[in-house]
Amino acid sequence: MRATKAIIHLENFKHNIKEIRRFTKPGVKMCVPVKADAYGHGSIECAKAALEAGVEFLAVAAVEEGVELREAGIKGRILLFSLASPEEIHDAVKADLTPFVFDEEYIDMFAKEALRQGKKSYPVHLAVDTGMGRIGCYAKDAASLARHIADTGILFHEGTMTHFATSDGKSQADCDYTKKQFEEFKSAIRGIEEAGLSAGICHCANSAATLDLPETHMGMVRPGIIVYGYDADEVNAQYLAKKGTPINLKPVMTLETEVCAIRPFKKGMSVGYGRTWIAEEDTDIALLPIGYGDGFLRRFAQNGIKVAINGKAYPVRGRICMDQCMVDIGKDNKEIQRWDKAVIFGCKEDGALQTADDIAKLTETISYEITTVLTRRVPREFCS
Ligand SMILES: *Cc1c(COP(=O)(O)O)cnc(C)c1O
């Protein structure tokens, strides 16, 4: 295996699921999204681990992601969070993916395909847009769409969902907006029930709402980022501890590489493309075989990212290349030898000095992006 790899701690993944379960009442189902290759962690292994940990639903965004899970022998229920295109509907139904629907045309496409494939009954979830501005119908149209689902005669209205836009923020405006969305969602559900239909399993809570807003749990929660061990923005570990509902999440991924060469540099010599860094004194530069081709993005270096080698942090110098980057370890560093491990982020136990959350803060993005952009070239090594 390549020295540059992502170690995936499935034991931490299962631990996080258990921790999150402490926040939900018995009977509340859990859906774990394994979209985008399980936020970069490896969807097949994470899906298996999630099912072992007892989650009731998995979720993907693309039909192909669902097909991949089925081909790997995964039998559990899978929700399809994004829309399938007309060419994909066949595969979606064949793979028994449960779509989010919200308009008559799309409902009819699934009904027709389910019929064609000889299904007796095919579950769908009605998506309501209460303010995310993404998928979903307006709350006022929920009842008539529920009627339309029932009228197909083959589709089964198994659930109703919405998605929060600001549940991970704690400003008054954010909290008010979430509350407004939740009220809107409840009005959609009431509309469906008043029409004499069932809204099925109602679900809206993402990571932040799962930990912070128990009243939004309803029939199911859909925590994503916290399952992978990262904070849901402002609903973070400190906030939850202060609130009196502490949680102990463990990062699932460690990204590591190794020192593949050490080269002495004289004062005045430059490092990398564009010569953006010039040695101000004699020093030694360690070469790491990781670059933006692995998902270690160029812009990380602009904000002075460091990597951990044998328990100490060392700065990346110059621009990050596609396949390599250069780290300043100082002159005659006795603590570092060629082939030593260098840890970019992850678990303390693996020698990391920062998490994906720390890198996200440093580079003004979110942990989701840090792990999700890791490319196929980075092998995932699973431990459980
Ligand atoms: C990705 C996603 C989630 C999980 O979101 P997190 O912020 O990772 O908890 C939940 N629901 C839907 C519809 C999603 O697309």
Side-chain angles (χ1 to χ4, degrees):
M1 191 181 274
R2 235 186 125 202
T4 298
K5 61 188 169 195
I7 300 167
I8 308 299
H9 292 279
L10 294 171
E11 76 281 11
N12 288 359
F13 183 72
K14 289 182 178 174
H15 159 90
N16 294 339
I17 291 173
K18 227 190 253 165
E19 276 290 282
I20 298 160
R21 283 277 198 205
R22 290 197 298 108
F23 286 70
T24 60
K25 287 209 197 84
V28 174
K29 293 181 166 49
M30 191 186 286
C31 167
V32 166
V34 293
K35 58 193 182 184
D37 203 23
Y39 294 41
H41 294 67
S43 65
I44 292 169
E45 300 292 335
C46 288
K48 285 181 182 163
L51 292 173
E52 280 165 23
V55 315
E56 288 82 1
F57 284 85
L58 302 167
V60 296
V63 172
E64 250 184 50
E65 295 179 318
V67 170
E68 192 188 356
L69 296 181
R70 293 301 185 214
E71 281 171 354
I74 287 160
K75 301 266 190 309
R77 296 294 309 280
I78 304 177
L79 295 181
L80 180 61
F81 277 178
S82 300
L83 296 203
S85 66
E87 307 86 84
E88 291 176 314
I89 299 253
H90 170 84
D91 288 352
V93 172
K94 193 142 177 256
D96 268 317
L97 308 184
T98 301
F100 287 175
V101 300
F102 57 92
D103 66 87
E104 293 190 359
E105 180 188 18
Y106 194 67
I107 290 168
D108 292 344
M109 282 161 73
F110 268 94
K112 201 169 141 205
E113 185 58 33
L115 200 65
R116 228 177 55 82
Q117 292 191 27
K119 305 278 180 188
K120 298 266 173 307
S121 158
Y122 197 82
V124 299
H125 289 215
L126 179 64
V128 185
D129 178 17
T130 57
M132 172 66 186
R134 199 166 68 179
I135 65 165
C137 65
Y138 294 114
K140 66 174 173 51
D141 301 325
S144 74
L145 286 163
R147 169 63 60 200
H148 193 80
I149 292 168
D151 286 347
T152 61
I154 185 159
L155 297 185
F156 159 55
H157 186 163
E158 184 190 39
T160 303
M161 66 78 65
T162 195
H163 194 51
F164 293 130
T166 62
S167 57
D168 56 2
K170 290 314 296 171
S171 72
Q172 193 60 48
D174 288 343
C175 294
D176 288 350
Y177 196 77
T178 303
K179 208 167 159 204
K180 199 186 90 176
Q181 280 198 268
F182 189 51
E183 289 308 317
E184 187 88 356
F185 186 46
K186 284 191 288 188
S187 90
I189 294 163
R190 265 198 314 276
I192 295 168
E193 286 167 353
E194 280 164 11
L197 298 162
S198 168
I201 307 162
C202 296
H203 49 107
C204 57
N206 56 4
S207 289
T210 299
L211 299 183
D212 195 27
L213 306 170
E215 67 276 18
T216 65
H217 290 179
M218 307 179 103
M220 180 159 80
V221 295
R222 304 189 307 265
I225 196 68
I226 54 176
V227 171
Y228 299 97
Y230 304 105
D231 284 334
D233 202 9
E234 290 178 37
V235 180
N236 56 31
Q238 301 87 289
Y239 165 84
L240 290 164
K242 216 168 131 201
K243 194 184 164 193
T245 53
I247 190 161
N248 173 24
L249 297 172
K250 298 180 179 178
V252 174
M253 181 190 289
T254 295
L255 179 62
E256 66 173 45
T257 181
E258 72 185 11
V259 174
C260 63
I262 298 173
R263 301 185 51 233
F265 273 59
K266 287 257 178 273
K267 180 181 171 179
M269 290 170 75
S270 66
V271 166
Y273 290 120
R275 306 191 64 219
T276 57
W277 188 81
I278 294 174
E280 284 172 6
E281 54 195 81
D282 292 1
T283 191
D284 290 349
I285 294 287
L287 243 57
L288 305 183
I290 186 170
Y292 64 82
D294 301 296
F296 192 52
L297 304 182
R298 275 174 106 239
R299 63 184 169 78
F300 294 174
Q302 280 155 26
N303 298 45
I305 198 168
K306 293 183 174 165
V307 304
I309 308 172
N310 300 329
K312 278 196 193 144
Y314 298 95
V316 170
R317 298 298 195 199
R319 289 192 180 140
I320 294 171
C321 310
M322 184 185 285
D323 314 303
Q324 306 181 61
C325 68
M326 287 67 90
V327 170
D328 190 354
I329 58 172
K331 190 94 210 115
D332 300 324
N333 189 333
K334 295 279 175 294
E335 294 170 18
I336 299 182
Q337 274 165 13
R338 190 179 194 180
W339 314 121
D340 278 353
K341 185 163 87 163
V343 186
I344 313 293
F345 65 79
C347 306
K348 282 196 193 78
E349 301 79 59
D350 294 329
L353 294 174
Q354 63 193 350
T355 67
D357 261 332
D358 297 321
I359 296 189
K361 283 197 188 84
L362 182 74
T363 60
E364 286 160 32
T365 182
I366 50 178
S367 55
Y368 303 66
E369 198 180 35
I370 304 294
T371 60
T372 304
V373 296
L374 292 186
T375 63
R376 217 161 47 124
R377 191 167 77 181
V378 180
R380 273 61 166 179
E381 183 182 293
F382 298 94
C383 25
S384 46

